[in-house]
Amino acid sequence: MKQPQCLCQICTCGRHRCPHNPTRIYDHGGESCLMTEYVDKYPQYGNIPPLQSLKPKQEYQKHGGKMEGITTFRSDYLPYDMANRPVRVQEEYKPAPGDMDLGTTYQRDYNVHKIQPVVLVRPLERKQARGGKINTIPTYQADYRAWEIQRREPHKTDGTYHPPTEKFGNSTTFQDDYFPKELAPRKSYKPMAVTKLSDQPFNGLTSHRNDYIMHQLEPKWVRSKEEYRPNSQPFEDVTTHRCDFRGLVGELPKSFKPEYTRTESKAHFNGATEFRDSFQPWAVSLPEVHKAKEYSPPAGNMDLNTTSHLDYIEHEVHPVVLMRQLETSRKNNAPFQGNTTMRDDFQAWDTSRQDMIKRPQEMPKPSGKFDDMTTFRAHYVPHSIVPTQSCKPLKVALSTAAPFEAGTMYRTEYTPKMQAICPATYPSPPGYVFVSTDSRGHKFFRKATPDTNTIAHNHAPKEIAVVS
């Protein structure tokens, strides 16, 4: 008897697998299972309903008992007897007997030394005044003697440019080595780009027009529009909230607002208010305006004498006589000698400003009229250009009277095959009978005999016609 096959083995498309369990329980067989770590840890979930939440619903729960005013702090707190902290009495200050020793460690350990003034080692400067005349000739001027040196003649060659006197007529290397040759145009084998028109009529038949078979379409089914029929029963506007919600039974809150009673009086309205009764108008006097007094000038003349003018006594003061005799100016008629040692030793030289060094012009400027004849114009020889013949074939549509061969390798060698449907797509594979399910979740099926298999003919796939 053949061994039963798993759903994984029956599948022919490779897309169907058994619902493997993560672990196998109470099974220690040595059979190998073709399962990977990914399939073992990440199983495929089916239609599993979501877990119900254990979180309590947020509904108002009314407490029927009476609320106690005892809190946890009141029940657990025990009062203790508190005693006041004893106050420390400060003792009276009593000065220590005897005298205070003001000696320090520095005074006790320091020994006084006698310090003598520092004797200067540098001798004192003594200015010696001499009555002689100072010699202003420096040592360089006294010892230096000018030598008679002759100027050396330069050994530099004369590099000045001398323009040529004759006309430039030397030929170049290109002109000497180059020989002009006659250009022979090559014959072009390219056909002429002229379109050739065909005399035969255009054949517009294609493979699609030849092979296409028009089929008659069935008439499209149109759904009839249903007639609106109004409902005879009245509309029930009771919502879920109205059905499920039940309000708490209680008394309506009473309003403390006094009832409005309209009072009507035919008496005349009195416009007196508390402000008018408490604050009565009283008479207010106007402020007095200060009037300035008119200015009256004093009588008589003004005395301009001051205390300083009246009490000051003038004294006769004589100029101070100088005890020093005045110097008598000595006039000298000799001319002033303004010569100094600097003027005598450094005489001015006759100098002139050096001229600017200019580079001599190498090429002389032309004097005559400009001749616009260039070398290219003088040596250029025009040649006639012959266009090259094109070898490119003409763009002409090739037509033939032979029929078109539509046969391809695919049409000749292709054989239509029956489209096989994977038996694992059905809940119960056709031709198989369910046997059991192992601990890992594998479903095993056994091939049924022709006598017991009566369902296999219902699932047979239909053949598909292929147009060649």
Side-chain angles (χ1 to χ4, degrees):
M1 191 174 183
K2 295 183 179 180
Q3 295 182 358
Q5 294 182 355
C6 177
L7 191 64
C8 306
Q9 300 174 354
I10 297 174
C11 178
T12 58
C13 62
R15 301 179 183 176
H16 303 90
R17 292 290 182 272
C18 295
H20 297 153
N21 298 328
T23 56
R24 54 182 183 177
I25 307 173
Y26 310 116
D27 188 7
H28 302 283
E31 297 180 359
S32 61
C33 181
L34 301 176
M35 288 187 64
T36 60
E37 182 182 359
Y38 182 85
V39 177
D40 193 7
K41 292 184 178 180
Y42 297 89
Q44 184 179 2
Y45 296 96
N47 296 329
I48 300 175
L51 298 176
Q52 295 182 0
S53 176
L54 301 178
K55 185 177 179 182
K57 297 182 180 179
Q58 296 181 357
E59 295 180 355
Y60 175 73
Q61 299 178 0
K62 183 179 180 182
H63 186 66
K66 188 177 181 181
M67 182 177 178
E68 297 181 359
I70 300 174
T71 60
T72 311
F73 179 77
R74 290 185 180 182
S75 60
D76 298 343
Y77 177 72
L78 300 176
Y80 297 94
D81 297 336
M82 298 293 294
N84 296 331
R85 187 178 180 180
V87 182
R88 183 180 179 183
V89 181
Q90 189 175 3
E91 298 180 357
E92 185 179 358
Y93 173 73
K94 295 180 181 181
D99 297 334
M100 183 177 181
D101 187 9
L102 300 177
T104 60
T105 311
Y106 181 78
Q107 293 180 357
R108 182 183 63 188
D109 299 339
Y110 180 70
N111 298 327
V112 183
H113 302 277
K114 292 182 180 180
I115 301 173
Q116 296 180 0
V118 180
V119 180
L120 296 176
V121 181
R122 183 181 179 184
L124 298 175
E125 294 182 1
R126 296 179 181 180
K127 296 182 179 180
Q128 299 178 2
R130 297 179 181 180
K133 189 177 181 180
I134 186 171
N135 186 11
T136 59
I137 299 174
T139 309
Y140 180 79
Q141 186 177 2
D143 299 343
Y144 177 73
R145 296 291 182 272
W147 295 352
E148 295 179 358
I149 301 174
Q150 296 180 359
R151 188 176 181 181
R152 296 179 182 179
E153 295 181 358
H155 295 280
K156 184 178 180 182
T157 58
D158 188 10
T160 56
Y161 174 75
H162 300 284
T165 56
E166 299 179 357
K167 187 177 180 181
F168 180 77
N170 297 333
S171 60
T172 60
T173 309
F174 180 78
Q175 293 178 355
D176 295 341
D177 299 343
Y178 176 73
F179 298 97
K181 299 178 182 180
E182 296 181 359
L183 295 175
R186 292 180 297 178
K187 185 178 180 181
S188 177
Y189 295 94
K190 186 177 180 181
M192 300 295 292
V194 180
T195 57
K196 295 182 180 180
L197 301 177
S198 178
D199 301 336
Q200 298 179 3
F202 176 72
N203 187 10
L205 296 178
T206 59
S207 57
H208 178 73
R209 292 184 179 181
N210 296 332
D211 299 341
Y212 179 72
I213 301 173
M214 184 179 296
H215 298 278
Q216 187 176 1
L217 298 177
E218 297 180 359
K220 188 177 180 181
W221 180 74
V222 181
R223 184 178 179 181
S224 59
K225 189 175 181 182
E226 297 181 359
E227 187 179 357
Y228 173 72
R229 297 177 182 179
N231 196 352
S232 58
Q233 298 180 2
F235 177 70
E236 186 180 355
D237 57 349
V238 180
T239 59
T240 310
H241 179 74
R242 291 184 180 181
C243 295
D244 299 342
F245 178 73
R246 298 178 182 178
L248 302 176
V249 181
E251 297 180 358
L252 297 175
K254 296 182 180 180
S255 177
F256 292 94
K257 185 178 179 181
E259 297 180 359
Y260 175 73
T261 55
R262 185 177 182 182
T263 57
E264 297 181 357
S265 177
K266 296 182 179 180
H268 186 68
F269 176 72
N270 189 9
T273 58
E274 184 181 357
F275 181 80
R276 292 184 179 180
D277 296 342
S278 301
F279 298 93
Q280 298 293 335
W282 60 79
V284 179
S285 59
L286 298 175
E288 295 181 0
V289 182
H290 179 72
K291 294 182 179 181
K293 297 181 180 180
E294 295 181 0
Y295 173 75
S296 58
N301 297 328
M302 184 177 179
D303 188 7
L304 300 177
N305 294 327
T306 59
T307 310
S308 177
H309 287 180
L310 297 176
D311 298 343
Y312 179 71
I313 301 173
E314 295 182 0
H315 299 278
E316 294 180 0
V317 180
H318 299 282
V320 179
V321 180
L322 297 176
M323 300 299 295
R324 182 181 178 183
Q325 296 181 1
L326 297 175
E327 295 181 357
T328 57
S329 60
R330 298 177 182 178
K331 295 183 178 181
N332 190 2
N333 298 327
F336 177 72
Q337 186 180 2
N339 295 334
T340 59
T341 311
M342 178 74 178
R343 290 186 178 181
D344 295 342
D345 297 343
F346 297 95
Q347 298 295 333
W349 296 351
D350 296 336
T351 59
S352 59
R353 187 175 181 180
Q354 187 179 3
D355 297 338
M356 185 174 60
I357 300 175
K358 292 183 178 180
R359 189 175 180 180
Q361 191 174 4
E362 297 178 356
M363 299 293 292
K365 293 183 178 180
S367 58
K369 190 176 180 181
F370 176 70
D371 186 9
D372 58 347
M373 179 61 67
T374 60
T375 310
F376 181 78
R377 291 184 179 180
H379 298 283
Y380 177 72
V381 179
H383 299 280
S384 59
I385 299 174
V386 180
T388 56
Q389 189 176 1
S390 178
C391 299
K392 186 176 180 181
L394 299 177
K395 295 182 179 180
V396 180
L398 301 176
S399 59
T400 177
F404 177 73
E405 295 182 2
T408 59
M409 186 184 299
Y410 177 77
R411 292 187 176 183
T412 55
E413 297 181 359
Y414 176 74
T415 55
K417 299 179 182 179
M418 182 177 61
Q419 186 177 3
I421 301 176
C422 181
T425 54
Y426 303 98
S428 178
Y432 292 88
V433 179
F434 176 73
V435 178
S436 62
T437 305
D438 64 350
S439 58
R440 284 194 174 271
H442 291 277
K443 294 182 179 181
F444 291 94
F445 297 86
R446 183 181 294 132
K447 282 189 176 182
T449 58
D451 299 338
T452 57
N453 187 11
T454 57
I455 314 173
H457 298 285
N458 299 332
H459 299 282
K462 297 180 180 179
E463 295 184 356
I464 299 175
V466 179
V467 179
S468 59

